[in-house]
Amino acid sequence: MDISQIAQPASPGLGQASASPFPQLQMAHDVASARLDKLDAAGALLGKVRTELDSLVKMGDTVSQDDVIKSSGKLVAAGLAPMAVAGLLADMPQAGGEALQAWVRQHDMQVRQREQQLATVHAQARHQAGIAGMQLLAGHSALEHMSQMQNPQPSQTNGLTPGNAPGTEA
């Protein structure tokens, strides 16, 4: 990537204190970070589903419809869409015991598959966010280096110049 193509400063927009000198890199970083945040939120919600399913699976064939409905209420309170939960409950067997236990295990297997899929996507998103962050950091570092090369700072001296060094007379 040619740094001269992306190092053109952008003008600050209304309400912005300053814009990034690398709008494309900044946008890529922002998108990667937002995606990672959404995946983190999905993972947290899936973790709550996992907790509720684990408690239902542990009940074995003693699980009842009331147990499932109570867990469903907790999931809605945790942020799951009520219509999605209602859709899941619509195919719940009316009989308890082994039929309900099999239904719970089926949903447990589906959630395990989604957890594996999410783990893969999350790892990819973390990787992309890391790459975007490193590219943005490298851009800022290169810009700083170019600025130092164009505007070298005078070196710090101890105040001694050839004309006023000790032992010399001017």
Side-chain angles (χ1 to χ4, degrees):
M1 179 180 305
D2 184 13
I3 194 82
S4 65
Q5 293 175 350
I6 58 174
Q8 300 170 6
S11 59
L14 295 176
Q16 289 180 321
S18 66
S20 172
F22 307 101
Q24 293 167 332
L25 292 178
Q26 186 66 53
M27 185 171 38
H29 182 260
D30 292 345
V31 168
S33 294
R35 182 173 187 218
L36 193 56
D37 289 345
K38 286 197 177 259
L39 288 170
D40 286 342
L45 197 55
L46 200 53
K48 292 174 184 174
V49 171
R50 163 65 38 225
T51 300
E52 292 304 317
L53 272 175
D54 285 348
S55 70
L56 293 172
V57 168
K58 285 180 185 176
M59 292 180 182
D61 63 0
T62 64
V63 67
S64 69
Q65 286 184 332
D66 289 339
D67 296 324
V68 174
I69 292 169
K70 183 178 174 184
S71 288
S72 298
K74 290 179 184 178
L75 293 176
V76 168
L80 235 61
M83 294 303 289
V85 174
L88 286 173
L89 294 177
D91 71 345
M92 181 172 60
Q94 296 300 316
E98 289 181 15
L100 188 55
Q101 178 187 15
W103 181 84
V104 168
R105 285 185 190 264
Q106 176 188 7
H107 285 285
D108 182 58
M109 288 174 46
Q110 290 172 350
V111 168
R112 286 184 194 280
Q113 289 173 349
R114 287 194 179 124
E115 286 172 328
Q116 290 173 350
Q117 292 168 348
L118 181 63
T120 301
V121 172
H122 193 266
Q124 291 169 345
R126 260 193 340 260
H127 181 76
Q128 283 303 117
I131 288 172
M134 291 301 291
Q135 288 174 336
L136 187 58
L137 183 62
H140 282 285
S141 179
L143 184 63
E144 184 178 327
H145 181 70
M146 287 188 318
S147 174
Q148 288 174 356
M149 297 297 285
Q150 290 174 354
N151 302 318
Q153 297 293 322
S155 61
Q156 296 282 334
T157 64
N158 57 7
L160 299 178
T161 59
N164 69 359
T168 59
E169 301 278 331

XYZ file of all heavy atoms in Angstrom, residues 162-165 167-170:
49
model
N 31.295 27.095 18.711
C 32.740 27.208 18.517
C 33.285 28.546 19.004
O 34.404 28.630 19.472
C 32.926 27.052 17.015
C 31.743 26.287 16.553
C 30.621 26.648 17.500
N 32.535 29.595 18.952
C 33.041 30.901 19.363
C 33.045 31.123 20.868
O 33.752 31.988 21.363
N 32.257 30.362 21.644
C 32.219 30.611 23.080
C 32.560 29.382 23.911
O 32.174 29.273 25.057
C 30.863 31.200 23.497
C 29.720 30.211 23.370
O 29.918 29.092 22.953
N 28.524 30.661 23.725
N 33.285 28.460 23.339
C 33.724 27.299 24.092
C 34.737 27.736 25.142
O 35.475 28.681 24.945
C 34.348 26.269 23.143
N 37.946 28.320 27.164
C 39.347 28.329 26.773
C 39.590 28.999 25.457
O 40.710 29.048 24.984
N 38.523 29.462 24.785
C 38.724 30.177 23.535
C 38.344 31.615 23.751
O 37.432 31.943 24.505
C 37.886 29.590 22.385
O 36.513 29.652 22.735
C 38.295 28.170 22.071
N 38.999 32.465 23.100
C 38.724 33.888 23.216
C 38.040 34.326 21.929
O 38.451 33.957 20.840
C 40.020 34.674 23.384
C 40.828 34.264 24.588
C 40.343 34.894 25.867
O 39.784 35.995 25.819
O 40.514 34.303 26.929
N 37.034 35.118 22.071
C 36.345 35.606 20.891
C 36.898 36.920 20.430
O 37.473 37.687 21.056
C 34.864 35.759 21.160
